[in-house]
Amino acid sequence: MSDDSTKQHLFALMAHAEEQQKNIDQTLDIINKQQAQIESLHKQLPNLAQQLFTDSLNGARTSIESDLNNHATKAAQDLRQASREARQAAQEIREARTALSWKFVFLYVGGLLAVTFALLLGLVVYVPTLDDIADRKATIAELNNQNGDLDISRCKGELCVRVMKKKCDFGASKDYCVLDLKD
């Protein structure tokens, strides 16, 4: 080999070495820049995590608030509907109570009148009039004046008098008996 070709070869190798050195320097610059970015990110990582967490919480809060508002709105609508139905039922109860109270009044007054009528009818039918009482007293007084001391008592709740069984069958219908007077 000749000197010239060696020189050329040497220059080519040097040029190539210089180019590789530039590439290495560029790569080192890129690595240093990336390392600086990594360190910057590393320093910002707590802040980024905090920010990400805060953003996530805010998003969740917004979603929950939206859901709660939707549920609250639906619950409020349901409550309003239930309130309307309760008012309507209360009104129907008031109307029914009013109608029922008038029915009750009529039934009560009618029942009271019926009982009063039954009592009056009983008094008229079963209680003797003052004239009947006076007649009966007069009959008893007349019997007592005729020297008849009657043996009068109550037999199973009815007025009865002692008679002589052997001296019966008098009168048109044969229902009179001679009284057995007390001695």
Side-chain angles (χ1 to χ4, degrees):
M1 275 206 213
S2 75
D3 248 350
D4 277 340
S5 101
T6 310
K7 283 184 186 181
Q8 277 185 343
H9 192 52
L10 201 51
F11 282 127
L13 280 176
M14 283 177 68
H16 185 62
E18 268 182 42
E19 192 176 315
Q20 280 185 346
Q21 187 61 39
K22 280 183 188 178
N23 285 341
I24 289 174
D25 287 340
Q26 284 177 352
T27 304
L28 281 176
D29 283 342
I30 291 171
I31 289 173
N32 287 336
K33 285 180 185 177
Q34 285 179 346
Q35 189 171 359
Q37 287 176 347
I38 288 172
E39 287 175 6
S40 172
L41 283 175
H42 185 65
K43 288 178 187 176
Q44 292 177 359
L45 188 60
N47 291 337
L48 287 173
Q50 177 86 19
Q51 183 65 32
L52 181 62
F53 184 70
T54 303
D55 289 347
S56 175
L57 280 179
N58 287 338
R61 180 183 302 140
T62 303
S63 174
I64 289 171
E65 285 174 352
S66 172
D67 287 348
L68 283 176
N69 285 338
N70 291 341
H71 290 297
T73 303
K74 184 173 182 341
Q77 289 172 350
D78 291 345
L79 245 137
R80 283 188 205 107
Q81 179 66 26
S83 176
R84 268 188 243 114
E85 290 173 0
R87 282 190 213 123
Q88 184 179 3
Q91 182 63 30
E92 289 173 0
I93 288 171
R94 277 189 220 105
E95 291 170 1
R97 187 186 75 210
T98 302
L100 185 62
S101 68
W102 281 108
K103 287 179 186 176
F104 178 73
V105 166
F106 287 130
L107 287 175
Y108 182 75
V109 169
L112 189 60
L113 288 174
V115 168
T116 304
F117 181 72
L119 286 174
L120 288 175
L121 185 63
L123 286 174
V124 168
V125 171
Y126 293 109
V127 175
T129 64
L130 293 175
D131 292 337
D132 288 339
I133 293 173
D135 286 344
R136 289 177 187 176
K137 283 183 180 181
T139 304
I140 291 174
E142 185 181 322
L143 288 173
N144 284 336
N145 287 338
Q146 292 178 2
N147 221 2
D149 204 7
L150 298 176
D151 189 7
I152 300 173
S153 66
R154 291 252 173 219
C155 303
K156 295 183 183 179
E158 303 225 9
L159 184 62
C160 59
V161 71
R162 180 182 290 177
V163 294
M164 290 192 228
K165 288 183 181 180
K166 294 179 182 177
K167 295 185 178 180
C168 284
D169 297 331
F170 294 102
S173 56
K174 307 232 183 225
D175 56 352
Y176 285 97
C177 295
V178 175
L179 294 176
D180 186 12
L181 300 174
K182 289 182 187 178
D183 295 328

